[in-house]
Amino acid sequence: NTQPTSGVVTVAAAAVNPTTPVPRTEGVVTPGILTFTGSNWNVAQTFTVTGQDDDVNDGDTTYNVEFTVVASDTSIPYHGIAVPAVPITNTDNDVAGVTIGSVVGSPEEADPSVTGAFVVTLVTQPSGDVTVEFTSSDTDEGDIVNSGDVTA
């Protein structure tokens, strides 16, 4: 809380995002650097942290914003001072799910070459393989043509 006697003091901030189970960006800090001078040393400046939508159902994720302080005149006390990291929690908005599309085509008893098909999609990016198993509720009327499951 003292005016720098000379030079410029910069405070850089960066989000240290999780690297496990895979590297991902949960938050971004802007601007990356705040600059303090002899004329604005006592004026509050703001870093903004913006959560990033990642389409991964990874739950609420905590990461740190870390700071580096550098003075243009390395002899002043601000140069290299330690600033504690600030923990931030990015609230996840993704929910795992499977979407089944409408059936295209109408299977016929008289002609087994006439089939129906539907599209299956995952709602969010999985962190590993997902297997969706398909079965028929009445195999006398219709059966699944492929192996009965899909791994994506």
Side-chain angles (χ1 to χ4, degrees):
N1 289 340
T2 59
Q3 181 176 7
T5 55
S6 64
V8 173
V9 176
T10 60
V11 180
V16 179
N17 288 286
T19 57
T20 56
V22 294
R24 61 190 187 280
T25 301
E26 291 288 338
V28 173
V29 179
T30 54
I33 297 175
L34 299 177
T35 302
F36 294 89
T37 65
S39 62
N40 75 347
W41 70 273
N42 60 347
V43 177
Q45 297 184 47
T46 303
F47 283 117
T48 300
V49 180
T50 305
Q52 302 299 292
D53 193 5
D54 55 13
D55 292 326
V56 177
N57 183 20
D58 54 2
D60 295 352
T61 303
T62 300
Y63 54 96
N64 287 325
V65 173
E66 295 183 352
F67 305 93
T68 304
V69 180
V70 176
S72 60
D73 178 351
T74 59
S75 68
I76 64 173
Y78 285 100
H79 185 72
I81 64 171
V83 177
V86 175
I88 303 285
T89 300
N90 194 30
T91 304
D92 196 13
N93 65 340
D94 301 301
V95 178
V98 176
T99 301
I100 307 294
S102 300
V103 174
V104 176
S106 296
E108 296 178 13
E109 285 183 5
D111 186 357
S113 67
V114 178
T115 63
F118 52 90
V119 175
V120 178
T121 56
L122 301 178
V123 176
T124 59
Q125 180 181 348
S127 58
D129 288 349
V130 174
T131 301
V132 180
E133 296 183 35
F134 299 94
T135 59
S136 173
S137 62
D138 187 347
T139 55
D140 291 334
E141 291 296 322
D143 203 359
I144 305 298
V145 174
N146 67 11
S147 64
D149 62 357
V150 174
T151 300

